[in-house]
Amino acid sequence: MNNRTDTPVTVLGLGLMGQALAGAFLKAGYPTTVWNRTASKADRLVAEGARPAPTVGDALRAGSVTFICVTDYQAVHELLGTSDIKLDGTTLVNLTSGDSAQARETAQWAQQRGAHYLDGAIMAIPPAIGTAEAVILHSGPRSDFEAHQSTLEALGTVTYLGADHGLASLYDVAGLAMMWSVLNAWLQGTALLRTAGVDAATFAPFAQQIAAGVAEWLPGYAEQIDSGSFPAEVSALETDARAMAHLIEESEAVGVNAELPKLIKAMADRAIAAGHGAEQYPVLIEEFGRPRED
């Protein structure tokens, strides 16, 4: 592992996140070269010690490892795909948001051009970059990750997921699914309680307790999913479905949107119709794991 902070790094793309990445490297003492299509976005970083590169090619040549954080994967290909850009021998860490197929395709494209390639996902907001609160996921060859691990750690808490370049993107969207589901459930409950004059601040601590309690179930439920066996140790799905009906009825009675609980109950009803009513809630993985048939 390279533990030297004199390793030169390059950051391509200076949106809010790209600026945060470059700022973290500067703060950690790394010689940092930056490039952005709109050159003025580099002004603050240059004032802090960054070196501006006039072209993408110049930026790539300046860094031992290049971090890319642009709009999308199409922009990555547009930046690096011109005939004057040489990738042979470069190390690219792509922190651009996209899907797993794009990550795998871009990895193959970069490797065919002689580059070492890691794909990554940033699970943090720009102000957190450079602190332990910034969780950054990486996937790709372990040797490439280990060769630059200490440099990667200048950005936050890094996690290596595996050789499959698509894993970081998949973990990213899986995390978003968790985030939005928790928030949407809280908003549903908040909307219900507001009809009785209970404000969101009053409900929030109670909701936190519920969310933390449910989180404790996940390891045991994961064992059921991985084993394919769903004994009803706590509650049967058909019992849960009756509670879902109560939630829908209460929502409609007080004039609160019931689309979300209706969607979940429809999935539970399909599982029950398929003979899984006496099994535990994680059996719904079968519904989540197949595309909807319209």
Side-chain angles (χ1 to χ4, degrees), residues 97-256:
S97 295
D99 62 41
S100 58
Q102 291 173 319
R104 294 180 183 117
E105 176 189 356
T106 302
Q108 184 178 27
W109 174 82
Q111 289 171 337
Q112 286 173 346
R113 299 186 64 188
H116 298 274
Y117 183 89
L118 289 171
D119 207 87
I122 302 172
M123 312 295 285
I125 58 176
I129 298 299
T131 74
E133 285 69 38
V135 174
I136 304 178
L137 311 176
H138 294 283
S139 52
R142 179 178 286 277
S143 58
D144 291 339
F145 173 79
E146 291 180 345
H148 299 283
Q149 184 173 347
S150 64
T151 303
L152 301 174
E153 287 173 344
L155 300 178
T157 301
V158 299
T159 299
Y160 176 71
L161 300 173
D164 178 358
H165 284 95
L167 282 174
S169 292
L170 281 174
Y171 267 77
D172 185 20
V173 293
L176 291 174
M178 286 288 300
M179 178 186 73
W180 287 325
S181 295
V182 171
L183 288 174
N184 288 338
W186 175 67
L187 291 171
Q188 179 83 37
T190 298
L192 282 165
L193 286 167
R194 286 175 66 188
T195 67
V198 179
D199 60 23
T202 300
F203 177 47
F206 177 80
Q208 282 182 299
Q209 289 181 317
I210 294 293
V214 172
E216 293 294 324
W217 303 347
L218 298 185
Y221 279 9
E223 290 180 7
Q224 290 194 342
I225 291 171
D226 291 342
S227 69
S229 177
F230 307 93
E233 299 167 346
V234 176
S235 177
L237 183 60
E238 57 191 7
T239 302
D240 291 325
R242 289 195 290 271
M244 293 174 195
H246 296 328
L247 173 56
I248 294 167
E249 292 162 3
E250 182 70 39
S251 297
E252 292 178 335
V254 298
V256 167

Side-chain angles (χ1 to χ4, degrees), residues 5-76:
T5 58
D6 60 355
T7 300
V9 299
T10 287
V11 177
L12 301 180
L14 298 176
L16 291 177
M17 186 60 78
Q19 291 187 39
L21 298 175
F25 284 127
L26 287 170
K27 186 176 181 180
Y30 286 87
T32 304
T33 298
V34 296
W35 179 91
N36 193 73
R37 196 179 302 277
T38 303
S40 61
K41 288 191 174 181
D43 290 348
R44 179 182 62 81
L45 293 164
V46 171
E48 295 175 0
R51 304 166 187 174
T55 69
V56 172
D58 292 327
L60 287 168
R61 287 188 290 273
S64 294
V65 55
T66 295
F67 293 79
I68 310 167
C69 188
V70 292
T71 306
D72 52 32
Y73 278 75
Q74 181 178 344
V76 173

